[in-house]
Amino acid sequence: MTTIRVPYHLDEPLPEATLPDLPGASTVSPDLPDGDLWARMAHLHEEVAVRVAESVRAAEAPAVLSGDCMVALGTIAGVQRAGVDASVVWFDAHGDLQTLETSASGYMGGIPLRILVGYRPELSAERLGLRAVAEERVLLVDGRDLDPPEAEFLAASPLRRYGVEEVAAEILPPGPIVLHVDLDVVDPGEFEGLLFPTPGGPGVSAVLDAARRVLHTGRVAALSIGCTWDPDRSDPAARSGLVADLVSHRASTG
């Protein structure tokens, strides 16, 4: 099964040690062109989309390990290129539903899910040929740290939000699924070194159990893992063990 490492945070390369080096994994690490942030990320995400599409066409369910959640756009674009019209299940402590107009921080890592459902396609989607996923086919898992504009969006949207413990086959969106797990969904009391720690979350075992329930449906076309931690402040064994567990259960998707 294909495992792809993307050691970047937005358009900035990360130390190799940031992402676990699982057996058989390959690394996407292109020289990014000069230009603005969106052009540079599009170049990186294009490389991811190409590799993911090749894997899906070969009847594999690729796993993509990255340093942020934006790379998931390339993963989903690759799944679509392979002819798979996938729904999305998005595990995250945050909503990732901000916009450039509403974000108080201006952090680009806070908007990928909003882009995925059709926001400002000229920023990323049009560059990747990424088709918007209907909001009713997206499930946000956890999302305990929402800014007011994100909460307002969800209140008016068919995009559904559930807790980790509520994840079950019956609530999943229809058809093939891209499963995205930002590991900051885990409570920082159990997982040190997260870049954006959000207290009050589920433990490691609860997150793994919920992700397995999605993987074991046999409908996951690709697995995306946001390794959003500081490698200097987190335990390498814990990092590798958590990611390896998720990736190993991907093999059960059939």
Side-chain angles (χ1 to χ4, degrees), residues 4-12 14 19 28 38 40-42 44-49 52 63-79 90 96 108-109 112-113 116 124 128 130 178 180 223-228:
I4 303 165
R5 301 169 72 251
V6 191
Y8 282 80
H9 182 261
L10 303 180
D11 66 336
E12 295 294 330
L14 296 171
L19 304 182
V28 171
W38 293 105
R40 288 167 59 82
M41 287 196 298
L44 175 64
H45 299 166
E46 173 65 24
E47 295 279 337
V48 174
V52 168
V64 180
L65 319 181
S66 65
D68 63 30
C69 294
M70 293 296 288
V71 171
L73 300 176
T75 301
I76 296 163
V79 170
W90 192 278
D96 287 357
M108 296 301 98
L113 192 54
L116 183 62
S124 181
L128 294 171
L130 172 66
V178 172
H180 173 72
L223 170 63
S224 167
I225 304 176
C227 302
T228 49

Side-chain angles (χ1 to χ4, degrees), residues 170-211:
E170 310 85 70
I171 70 166
L172 298 178
I177 291 169
V178 172
L179 172 60
H180 173 72
V181 182
D182 183 342
L183 294 174
D184 71 14
V185 72
V186 177
D187 189 274
E190 284 201 22
F191 204 81
E192 295 182 350
L194 294 167
L195 293 175
F196 304 104
T198 305
V204 170
S205 61
V207 170
L208 286 174
D209 286 346

